[in-house]
């Protein structure tokens, strides 16, 4: 066996001990000591302190400084549990002072922490060559949240998880406010692929726009709701809240009149029918209806819910060009339709991903959104019906607590805002001051992972994406070459195609 790294000193308890170390052992390192019997006690270093008797304050004041460096380093370790043949059990007796401390071997760590619950490979345990693998079923059915400040790697990490889910043939629907997920179609071009042993690849992704192709040329298809023979409530739900209350009566009247004449009518027919009314307030209603009609979100050729959830494929609802209020109305209606269809078994099971979730499920007092109620319902009941939820946000404090508390897997990346940290602490069992410090310092691409299957929060170096990352930051000062090429836009075409273009140009010239 490898030699000891230190010796337990001072008072110990079942939950923690201190040990003096002879060489460097950093915070976060996993260590082991012998417990009662032969079982190993697994612990993690959460603080390291260095002191020197020669420079001890009290000592120096007495003027007895003898110049001899007597330095020692003491690490404080928190016990994770006792590794028995039957699995990890909670420690009951304090470790013995004088006992030798060893670095924990990877087999022990892997076996006891529960890092390989499934086959979804999301990264490596920080500081170790140990894969962290999650269970896809548990992640989807019991929901997942990714919370951290901007630029810490939330969308990147989400995409890593989504890649794994697609490979497990899960159907995905992604609410994408910034158009970041279209790039999942193409293989990635950078990243330490060999260290993480992965191969770049693209995925089957369809991008839908609720606007139109001019507003969003990145889209593959239009996203539309059924616009035929809508009732008053269905229409009112897509209008600004302040107007819908006063105008729903008028709308109801007009639609009743229409229905007496015909079974099938569209939004233009409704506008015409409202126009026939005599009320003075009809004009603002007509204004709203015309706006809806011009937007084109209602159509005779609606997007069918079953088309949006296909096994092993992702449908992206790219909200580029849609105002915030309309976005949440679209999400409300879309998810309601999908949830109903799922209950009836008319669509595949799958996972709904909500980026910038604070916009769609704002915490009470921080805003209102039409989509709050349905997302809460999916969080509470989705599991029964095979509809999972992933919520992503940069403002943990501003996201509906009801939804966050339903997420069994929590991925926390760097958070520094005190309100957000407080919100996280409330939602997390066993949040300690040390963990909070850790969260403030997590570098980009590093995440703290918490779920019921893993013994305690672990820090994970997220693996590189296999697919291309389409970040949202648009360079203001772009490299000259790129500026000539295509100003301030994210390049999403796969590298081969560009290489091919280059080859063709070389073969045939480009005059
Ligand atoms: N695991 C990772 N490996 C490599 N680079 C990463 C990783 N996570 C994030 N990044 C980098 O950090 C940048 C910001 O990540 P992003 O996911 O867009 O942040 P967020 O969504 O939190 O604002 C990305 O453009 C990417 O270059
Ligand atoms: Mg993001």
């Amino acid at each position: 066996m490898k030699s000891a790294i230190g010796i337990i000193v001072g008072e110990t308890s079942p939950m923690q001990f201190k040990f003096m170390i002879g060489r460097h052992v950093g915070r976060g390192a996993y260590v082991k000591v012998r417990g009662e019997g032969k079982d190993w006690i697994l612990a993690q270093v959460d603080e390291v302190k260095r002191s020197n008797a020669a420079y001890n304050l009290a000592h120096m004041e007495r003027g007895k400084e003898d110049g001899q460096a007597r330095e020692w380093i003491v690490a404080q370790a928190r016990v994770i549990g006792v590794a028995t043949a039957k699995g990890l059990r909670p420690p009951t007796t304090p470790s013995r002072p004088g006992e030798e401390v060893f670095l924990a071997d990877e087999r022990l760590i892997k076996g006891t922490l529960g890092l390989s619950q499934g086959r979804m490979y999301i990264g490596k345990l920080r500081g170790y060559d140990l894969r962290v693998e999650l269970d896809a079923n548990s992640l989807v059915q019991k929901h997942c949240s990714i919370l951290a400040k901007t630029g810490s790697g939330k969308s990147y990490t989400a995409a890593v998880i989504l890649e794994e889910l697609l490979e497990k043939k899960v159907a995905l629907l992604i609410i994408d406010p910034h158009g970041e997920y279209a790039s999942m179609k193409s293989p990635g071009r950078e990243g330490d692929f060999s260290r993480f042993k992965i191969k770049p690849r693209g995925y089957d992704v369809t991008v839908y726009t609720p606007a139109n192709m001019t507003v969003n040329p990145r889209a593959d298809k239009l996203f539309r709701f059924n616009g035929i023979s809508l009732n008053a409530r269905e229409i009112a739900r897509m209008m600004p809240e302040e107007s819908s209350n006063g105008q729903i009566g008028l709308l109801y009247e007009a639609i009743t009149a229409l229905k007496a004449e015909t079974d099938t009518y569209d939004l233009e027919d409704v506008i015409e029918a409202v126009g026939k009314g005599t009320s003075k307030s009809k004009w603002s209603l007509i204004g709203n209806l015309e706006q809806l009609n011009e937007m084109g979100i209602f159509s005779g050729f609606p997007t069918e819910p079953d088309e949006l959830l296909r096994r092993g494929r992702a449908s992206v609802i790219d909200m580029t060009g849609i105002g915030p209020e309309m976005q949440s109305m679209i999400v409300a209606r879309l998810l309601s339709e999908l949830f109903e269809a799922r209950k009836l078994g008319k669509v595949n099971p799958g996972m709904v991903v909500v980026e910038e979730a604070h916009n769609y499920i704002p915490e009470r007092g921080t805003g209102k959104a039409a989509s709050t109620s349905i997302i809460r319902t999916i969080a509470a009941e989705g599991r029964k019906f095979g509809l999972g939820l992933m919520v992503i946000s940069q403002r943990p404090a501003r996201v509906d607590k009801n939804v966050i508390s339903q997420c069994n897997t929590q991925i926390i990346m760097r958070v520094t805002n005190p309100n957000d940290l407080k919100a996280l602490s409330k939602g997390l069992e066993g949040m300690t001051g040390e963990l909070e410090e850790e969260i403030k310092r997590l570098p980009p691409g590093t995440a703290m992972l918490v779920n019921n299957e893993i013994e305690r929060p672990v820090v994970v170096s997220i693996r590189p994406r296999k697919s291309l990352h389409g970040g949202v930051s648009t360079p203001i000062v772009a490299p000259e070459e790129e500026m000539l090429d295509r100003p301030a836009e994210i390049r999403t075409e796969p590298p081969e195609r560009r290489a091919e273009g280059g080859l063709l140009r070389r073969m045939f010239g480009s005059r």
Side-chain angles (χ1 to χ4, degrees):
M1 185 166 46
K2 295 225 181 81
S3 59
I5 55 161
I7 279 187
I8 296 186
V9 293
E11 203 174 61
T12 66
S13 81
M15 287 319 296
Q16 57 184 31
F17 58 81
K18 292 195 168 91
F19 64 100
M20 198 137 89
I21 45 184
R23 57 184 160 116
H24 180 76
V25 177
R27 277 179 65 176
Y30 292 94
V31 297
K32 63 178 184 182
V33 292
R34 283 281 181 210
E36 300 287 324
K38 272 198 171 160
D39 294 330
W40 286 108
I41 293 174
L42 183 68
Q44 189 174 22
V45 173
D46 57 19
E47 193 57 275
V48 187
K49 287 180 177 152
R50 189 193 292 262
S51 44
N52 189 325
Y55 298 94
N56 177 310
L57 276 178
H59 203 94
M60 290 176 82
E61 273 160 20
R62 274 184 269 127
K64 284 197 207 147
E65 203 262 293
D66 60 10
Q68 276 249 314
R70 281 187 312 240
E71 180 176 276
W72 65 79
I73 308 172
V74 172
Q76 181 179 303
R78 189 176 293 270
V79 175
I80 296 172
V82 186
T84 70
K86 286 187 204 139
L88 206 65
R89 74 168 167 76
T92 48
T93 50
S95 307
R96 191 160 279 123
E99 196 68 70
E100 285 182 315
V101 180
F102 301 89
L103 283 176
D105 48 289
E106 301 197 332
R107 245 185 67 202
L108 180 73
I109 300 173
K110 192 169 172 150
T112 46
L113 287 184
L115 297 181
S116 35
Q117 295 296 323
R119 298 188 35 229
M120 272 183 65
Y121 171 38
I122 63 159
K124 290 187 173 181
L125 188 65
R126 184 179 58 183
Y128 292 86
D129 189 26
L130 266 180
R131 285 160 75 109
V132 176
E133 292 167 339
L134 303 176
D135 179 57
N137 268 317
S138 155
L139 186 115
V140 173
Q141 295 209 344
K142 301 189 204 161
H143 313 312
C144 164
S145 66
I146 304 180
L147 304 170
K149 69 189 288 181
T150 310
S152 53
K154 292 181 302 296
S155 304
Y156 195 103
T157 303
V160 165
I161 293 176
L162 301 182
E163 290 173 356
E164 293 288 327
L165 291 176
L166 288 174
E167 288 176 29
K168 308 282 172 300
K169 299 289 171 231
V170 174
L172 300 176
L173 174 71
I174 306 172
I175 308 298
D176 180 8
H178 303 298
E180 288 175 272
Y181 287 86
S183 65
M184 282 188 85
K185 288 177 191 172
S186 315
R189 297 189 208 122
E190 46 192 64
D192 197 345
F193 298 126
S194 61
R195 177 161 96 88
F196 286 86
K197 298 200 180 70
I198 54 171
K199 278 201 195 111
R201 60 163 286 187
Y203 294 83
D204 189 341
V205 176
T206 309
V207 179
Y208 292 82
T209 173
N212 59 57
M213 295 302 203
T214 327
V215 171
N216 189 347
R218 195 170 31 220
D220 302 306
K221 281 181 147 185
L222 297 173
F223 174 78
R224 296 296 180 251
F225 290 122
N226 171 38
I228 305 301
S229 308
L230 296 168
N231 64 34
R233 202 172 44 87
E234 285 172 305
I235 298 175
R237 273 175 66 184
M238 299 299 283
M239 295 195 315
E241 200 191 14
E242 65 275 16
S243 56
S244 64
N245 287 335
Q247 297 171 350
I248 192 159
L250 282 181
L251 201 49
Y252 190 79
E253 232 171 73
I255 288 176
T256 311
L258 255 183
K259 277 187 179 160
E261 288 169 27
T262 171
D263 283 341
T264 51
Y265 53 87
D266 62 12
L267 211 50
E268 281 184 21
D269 299 325
V270 175
I271 296 174
E272 207 184 301
V274 173
K276 285 182 193 155
T278 51
S279 159
K280 264 194 216 144
S281 53
K282 71 179 182 187
W283 297 112
S284 61
L285 174 58
I286 290 177
N288 281 330
L289 292 173
E290 271 178 349
Q291 216 175 342
L292 257 188
N293 196 34
E294 270 159 33
M295 198 195 148
I297 186 80
F298 285 119
S299 146
F301 305 96
T303 310
E304 297 297 338
D306 65 341
E307 169 185 341
L308 295 174
L309 283 179
R310 292 164 308 164
R311 289 185 186 280
R313 304 184 191 180
S315 299
V316 173
I317 310 293
D318 183 334
M319 294 291 188
T320 303
I322 312 282
E325 195 175 6
M326 183 51 82
Q327 283 190 26
S328 66
M329 291 190 282
I330 292 173
V331 169
R333 181 169 176 141
L334 163 62
L335 294 188
S336 303
E337 281 184 3
L338 212 61
F339 188 54
E340 288 312 311
R342 183 56 218 141
K343 277 190 192 165
L344 300 172
K346 286 187 182 163
V347 299
N348 284 320
M351 186 174 227
V352 175
V353 180
V354 184
E355 260 277 3
E356 308 285 355
H358 47 277
N359 292 333
Y360 303 102
I361 33 168
E363 172 68 345
R364 211 171 293 153
T366 66
K368 265 187 125 181
S371 41
T372 300
S373 146
I374 181 64
I375 298 180
R376 273 191 193 164
T377 306
I378 295 176
E381 295 175 37
R383 189 177 171 186
K384 276 191 280 186
F385 303 106
L387 202 56
L389 192 63
M390 176 189 279
V391 293
I392 305 165
S393 174
Q394 71 232 25
R395 293 307 316 271
R398 299 205 176 167
V399 186
D400 190 286
K401 293 296 156 307
N402 293 294
V403 174
I404 296 294
S405 66
Q406 296 284 345
C407 297
N408 173 60
T409 300
Q410 306 207 358
I411 294 173
I412 300 164
M413 305 184 76
R414 187 158 186 247
V415 173
T416 49
N417 179 299
N419 285 330
D420 290 331
L421 275 170
K422 217 190 288 166
L424 285 180
S425 308
K426 273 193 204 152
L428 270 189
E429 271 174 57
M431 180 73 134
T432 60
E434 282 86 11
L435 281 186
E436 211 173 288
E437 280 308 306
E438 187 87 58
I439 290 171
K440 282 195 224 167
R441 296 202 177 97
L442 289 170
T446 313
M448 189 174 284
L449 171 71
V450 190
N451 78 15
N452 279 342
E453 287 81 35
I454 291 179
E455 273 310 318
R456 82 157 42 186
V458 293
V459 179
V460 184
S461 304
I462 300 296
R463 70 159 172 78
R465 281 181 65 158
K466 295 181 189 175
S467 61
L468 192 62
H469 186 58
V472 282
S473 67
T474 303
I476 295 171
V477 184
E480 272 168 36
E481 216 180 305
E482 294 236 326
M483 273 174 45
L484 291 175
D485 213 37
R486 226 214 272 182
E489 202 187 328
I490 304 144
R491 289 231 282 242
T492 52
E493 78 270 44
E496 311 84 82
R497 209 187 299 168
R498 284 206 283 150
E500 217 171 77
L503 185 67
L504 289 178
R505 262 205 302 281
R506 256 177 285 137
M507 283 169 71
F508 299 111
S510 58
R511 272 150 291 166

